Amino acid sequence: MSLQASTHCVATHSGTAPDRQAVCVLGATGSIGESTLKVLALHPDRYRLHAVSGFSRLERLAEICQQFRPARVVVPTRKIDEFRRCLANRGLLGNDQPELLEGDAGLVSIAEDPTVQSVMAAIVGAAGLLPTLAAVRAGKRVLLANKESLVMAGSLFMQEVSRSGAVLLPVDSEHNAIFQCLPERYVAHGQARTQTGLERAKTLGVERILLTASGGPFRCTRAEDLHTVTPAQACKHPNWSMGQKISIDSATLMNKGLELIEACHLFDLPESAITVVVHPESIIHSLVQYSDGSTLAQLGNPDMCTPIAHALAWPERIAAGVSPLDLFQIGSLHFEIPDTTRFPCLSLARQAMQQGGSAPALANAANEIAVASFLKQQIGFMQIPQMIDAVLQAVEIVKPESIAHILEQDVRARTFAQHWLQKHKAP
Ligand code: NDP
Ligand code: MG
């Protein structure tokens, strides 16, 4: 996907208006990264792109540099020379080149850059944890797409948010919807919290969160046929266009499991307060039920530019470039109970949240190995939950004391998952 050349260039490091918000996009070349750039390009008067990172799509990253002129760019250490050539091929030489930074240290540096006000955390998987946390610790406004970092680090992550005064805004469409449907006093930032989430919910009459799920591409596929589905079929999401990993997660319903854990931490609620509802049209992005019988929902066309624009501008609203909902065209909406027999990942994630401690981090790591193995056609689709289950059963669950401790648990889970893979992969 490439962006249309914009007539109004968002960000140049010369001649920037000082009151524009400086934005860092971690994972600018991905699906969420690209949608973020689209929204930024609509509002050159409000935002300037100060820093970006990419990983493998270097040509696209160079194109982004040419269009948006960020001051700082991060690529993996082994790609730095290749990327310099990509920039040179686009005429970006000498002073026209952005400052180039490398690897994990580079990601942390742009996430905590004092110039930056807002950080879009849109790296996929566990690789997003340290830079996202760096942005939190630096007290930024953090636009959270990288759900895996919250799944892994849960309470420690949220403690860092309270300590630093960072403003954490959910970008995941369901969590963004819940944020919009909860009372302002429930989600208020920058206030010392004396009550738990459950106590706040009781005071404000919040009864239950309904987390919607599209059901993915195999919602109607028979159990016996799921064993032989291909990565290409699994990546074909009916409603959303997303990166490969989250597309597979949506097909297994692990994405909803990760989102259940994400919601527990974001809104400080137990998993029992959250019900997953399959809603195939992906028009209602989630709902909150109240004690007076009201149910509030957030609706919109399935386009990530909406939650991104909401998080960027909150508490104001800006245009997202998304067409308004046409209810007459939609006609009807449907709801189903999720089938956890065909999609056991959802139950496994709920179980991991109930177990607590390092269990969600173990499940997340196992899932990352399982998805990568499925994409390489080393295991079948139904072996994804089997691998997660095996890791949760075999690897001891501990109470993580620090982020370093969580990263150790992540490595232990990956090591076990790799052993499991050697025993079970297709010959
Ligand atoms: P993509 O795979 O499309 O993009 C991932 C981004 O991360 C790319 O910029 C990629 O660089 C970069 N990246 C990949 N691996 C690494 C690594 N090891 N170190 C540093 N950077 C890396 O993913 P999505 O945009 O779909 O998802 C991003 C996050 O947002 C995920 O956590 C996902 O769960 C979440 N999310 C996504 C939604 C969506 O609609 N896509 C919806 C809600 C949440 P490169 O492309 O150059 O290789
Ligand atoms: Mg989501």
Side-chain angles (χ1 to χ4, degrees), residues 147 172-174 255-256 259:
K147 65 193 85 181
D172 213 344
S173 56
E174 297 77 1
N255 182 49
K256 214 44 57 183
E259 290 185 357

Side-chain angles (χ1 to χ4, degrees), residues 12 42 89 98 169 186 206 250 263 279 318 327 346 405:
T12 56
L42 292 174
N89 290 343
L169 294 159
Y186 193 97
V206 173
S250 299
H279 162 48
I318 55 171
L327 287 176
L346 181 56
H405 198 189

Side-chain angles (χ1 to χ4, degrees), residues 352-367:
M353 189 62 210
Q354 279 162 355
Q355 288 169 307
S358 57
L362 301 179
N364 178 67
N367 180 55

Side-chain angles (χ1 to χ4, degrees), residues 27 29-32 55-57 122 127 145-148 172 242-243 304:
T29 44
S31 167
I32 293 288
F55 191 67
S56 63
R57 285 173 266 204
N146 176 243
K147 65 193 85 181
E148 295 90 343
D172 213 344
M242 308 181 288
M304 287 307 295

